[in-house]
Amino acid sequence: MEDRQRRRRGGGRAGNAKRRGGETIGQMPWNPPLNCDRPTEPLNDEGVHAIHNGAMTILEEIGIEFLNGEALDVLKKTDGCKIDGENVRMDREFVMEMLSLAPGEFTITPRNVDRTIMVGGNSINFGNVSSPPSYWDMNSGGKVTGTREMCGNLLKLSQYFNCIHFVGGYPVEPQDIHARERHLDVLFDKLVITDKVVHAYCLGRERVEDVMDMVQIAGGHTDEEFESGPKMYSNINSTSPLKHDYPMLDGWMRLARRNQGLIVTPFTLAGAMAPVTMAGAVAQSLAEGLAAIALAQTIRPGACCVIGTFTSNVDMKSGAPAFGTPEYMRATQMTGQLARFYGIPMRASGVCTANVPDGQSMWETSNSLWSAVQAGAHMVYHAAGWLEGGLIASPEKFIMDCEILQQIQRYMEPVIYATSEDEIAIDAVREVGSQGHFFGIQHTRDRYTTAFYQPYLSDWRNFEAWDAAGGTWTAARAHELFQAIMESFEPPHMDEAIKEELEAFVVRRKEEGGAPTDY
């Protein structure tokens, strides 16, 4: 893409939704949280080294299939790889040397620089649901095929909620758009409807190059500015067990060369695509992920990489995947320990197996999200809106999940565990003594509006008051809020000249045929 003069980057605000009666929906401000807790570490030092040794043994003795000739050519030029056909075995010294080149933290800067996120350190960032083919439609009461309009609705929610920090994938696959053009229309919508960090699917040359070009246009960047640090990111999944496919590796290498964010997340289900033991599944997952990171560092030393985990178990009675299980939580925590061992930022997910936005969906998602917090994850995919193991996206579930995300953000605020003299409040205790109460004293009056988390969705009334108000269950309340947000949403500002350039790019690429649908 030719260099262009720097243009003003679009800023903007989320839409301003109203509850019935005119009350603005209360949400916390944009403030990606910092994880203040020590991570949960189920493994002792011996366990960490045992899983590390398992991953290295897989890489050295069994190898990973790289189904991409260009990737094989790159690795053939190194001293640390042994290649037999498409099988690549990597010496552990080579792998560890490559990992040492990857930064422990980096930023991703979207078109609105105020929405820049930090990946690494003690940062934690939450993203929207990505890639389900179906949508939960409360009006019809069921699962329906995803469309561009539905995708746009979920993009609006992704922009509106401040606890969503990056916008991944297609929030639902818009199957009313042909696959060769889908990435163009969705990226246009995403860049116009949101001003947050965006994602490209690593599905071959055209999709990756198109998305990089569109992100560069939206940010008004020259080539040099675009490549000075990540302005977007992608995620690849290995084809477990022990394979990386052609199109994902193609996109992975293109993004590495242009210094964009790279996440590799093996999808290892214990008992199906990985050993039935969680330690074995984690070791295999790490081997698959580290092999891709070694490739990226070979191409561009210092490439910004993240190791992802999507290790869970299957239901051994049906073979169906299960999420939010105790095993899922421990696998996430163990992966966090190994990510810190390697000095690589980590990605986790907020996922569930439930089919509808009900109690099961919330306890499974809450387990997933809290395990990500406990593991010290830096990017949490699918944190809002995921159902049916990733086959359904639900706007109501999205809004329900954001209540959890806000509570996590509040939980991380230092004010909750402040220990100043004023916070210990001895004078307030002395004033009340053993005979009064704290409701009316000045210490309480000075703090009552901000002392505690205030939900926008949870209903804290007793049964009689809740019943008298209509007895609305949680998903129905979320649906009302969803409708209010859609009715009043205002997209963030985008310079009209940039929007026109994006539109012209999309038209041109469609005329050229878009992207191939097979390889």
Side-chain angles (χ1 to χ4, degrees), residues 257-518:
R257 291 189 181 98
R258 298 204 68 191
N259 199 27
Q260 300 307 301
L262 297 165
I263 305 172
V264 55
T265 309
F267 184 15
T268 45
L269 290 176
M273 297 107 76
V276 73
T277 55
M278 299 314 295
V282 169
Q284 179 187 307
S285 174
L286 288 166
E288 294 174 4
L290 296 179
I293 293 176
L295 172 64
Q297 299 304 320
T298 302
I299 290 170
R300 186 184 186 114
C304 298
C305 293
V306 176
I307 186 79
T309 176
F310 211 80
T311 298
S312 193
N313 57 288
V314 295
D315 176 1
M316 297 306 288
K317 291 179 287 188
S318 67
F323 299 109
T325 64
E327 293 80 12
Y328 176 93
M329 296 177 73
R330 284 306 196 191
T332 302
Q333 295 161 1
M334 287 191 285
T335 304
Q337 284 188 260
L338 271 296
R340 286 186 292 280
F341 177 81
Y342 297 123
I344 303 291
M346 176 194 173
R347 172 224 149 156
S349 298
V351 288
C352 68
T353 314
N355 298 310
V356 297
D358 62 0
Q360 177 186 336
S361 76
M362 298 313 294
W363 74 61
E364 290 176 345
T365 298
S366 183
N367 285 348
S368 299
L369 291 173
W370 279 105
S371 70
V373 172
Q374 294 163 349
H378 302 102
M379 297 183 76
V380 184
Y381 264 48
H382 312 301
W386 168 292
L387 285 174
E388 200 197 356
L391 297 178
I392 299 175
S394 164
E396 293 78 21
K397 176 69 163 32
F398 195 113
I399 290 169
M400 293 159 69
D401 290 337
C402 284
E403 184 84 277
I404 300 177
L405 299 181
Q406 285 210 146
Q407 292 185 33
I408 291 173
Q409 181 173 323
R410 173 64 174 176
Y411 172 86
M412 293 298 176
E413 288 186 353
V415 67
I416 291 180
Y417 53 91
T419 55
S420 67
E421 181 177 339
D422 197 44
E423 295 293 330
I424 300 298
I426 295 300
D427 289 342
V429 175
R430 182 176 288 113
E431 179 181 347
V432 172
S434 62
Q435 303 301 315
H437 59 75
F438 289 83
F439 277 116
I441 68 169
Q442 191 63 45
H443 186 272
T444 302
R445 292 201 302 269
D446 289 344
R447 295 163 179 79
Y448 79 96
T449 59
T450 58
F452 309 124
Y453 174 75
Q454 294 298 313
Y456 64 83
L457 181 62
S458 298
D459 192 326
W460 287 352
R461 294 173 292 186
N462 64 23
F463 177 84
E464 288 74 20
W466 169 80
D467 191 48
T472 307
W473 287 46
T474 307
R477 293 199 303 273
H479 183 65
E480 291 181 359
L481 295 185
F482 167 61
Q483 291 176 312
I485 293 170
M486 293 302 101
E487 289 170 3
S488 57
F489 180 83
E490 297 176 16
H493 171 75
M494 173 177 276
D495 184 271
E496 192 62 32
I498 288 178
K499 186 175 180 180
E500 290 174 359
E501 187 174 355
L502 284 172
E503 289 172 336
F505 180 91
V506 169
V507 169
R508 176 175 64 80
R509 287 292 297 119
K510 286 183 177 181
E511 290 174 349
E512 293 171 350
T517 55
D518 54 32

Side-chain angles (χ1 to χ4, degrees), residues 234-282:
S234 186
N235 178 88
I236 67 168
N237 304 112
S238 51
T239 306
S240 300
L242 306 180
K243 288 188 290 294
H244 284 289
D245 69 22
Y246 173 84
M248 286 198 174
L249 285 175
D250 180 88
W252 180 260
M253 292 185 289
R254 291 176 187 278
L255 288 160
R257 291 189 181 98
R258 298 204 68 191
N259 199 27
Q260 300 307 301
L262 297 165
I263 305 172
V264 55
T265 309
F267 184 15
T268 45
L269 290 176
M273 297 107 76
V276 73
T277 55
M278 299 314 295
V282 169

Side-chain angles (χ1 to χ4, degrees), residues 218-236:
H221 300 299
T222 64
D223 288 344
E224 183 179 4
E225 289 169 340
F226 183 75
E227 295 178 18
S228 65
K231 308 299 187 297
M232 52 165 286
Y233 72 97
S234 186
N235 178 88
I236 67 168

Side-chain angles (χ1 to χ4, degrees), residues 142-177:
K143 174 180 175 180
V144 299
T145 299
T147 66
R148 185 176 183 178
E149 179 182 2
M150 296 167 184
C151 185
N153 290 343
L154 292 164
L155 288 172
K156 291 175 183 177
L157 292 178
S158 301
Q159 174 66 14
Y160 177 78
F161 279 99
N162 293 324
C163 58
I164 299 298
H165 308 116
F166 61 92
V167 187
Y170 308 153
V172 66
E173 288 276 350
Q175 296 180 64
D176 54 343
I177 308 173

Side-chain angles (χ1 to χ4, degrees), residues 170 174-175 177-184 207 514-517:
Y170 308 153
Q175 296 180 64
I177 308 173
H178 195 282
R180 65 174 172 264
E181 299 177 350
R182 191 174 298 164
H183 68 290
L184 295 166
R207 289 178 179 84
T517 55

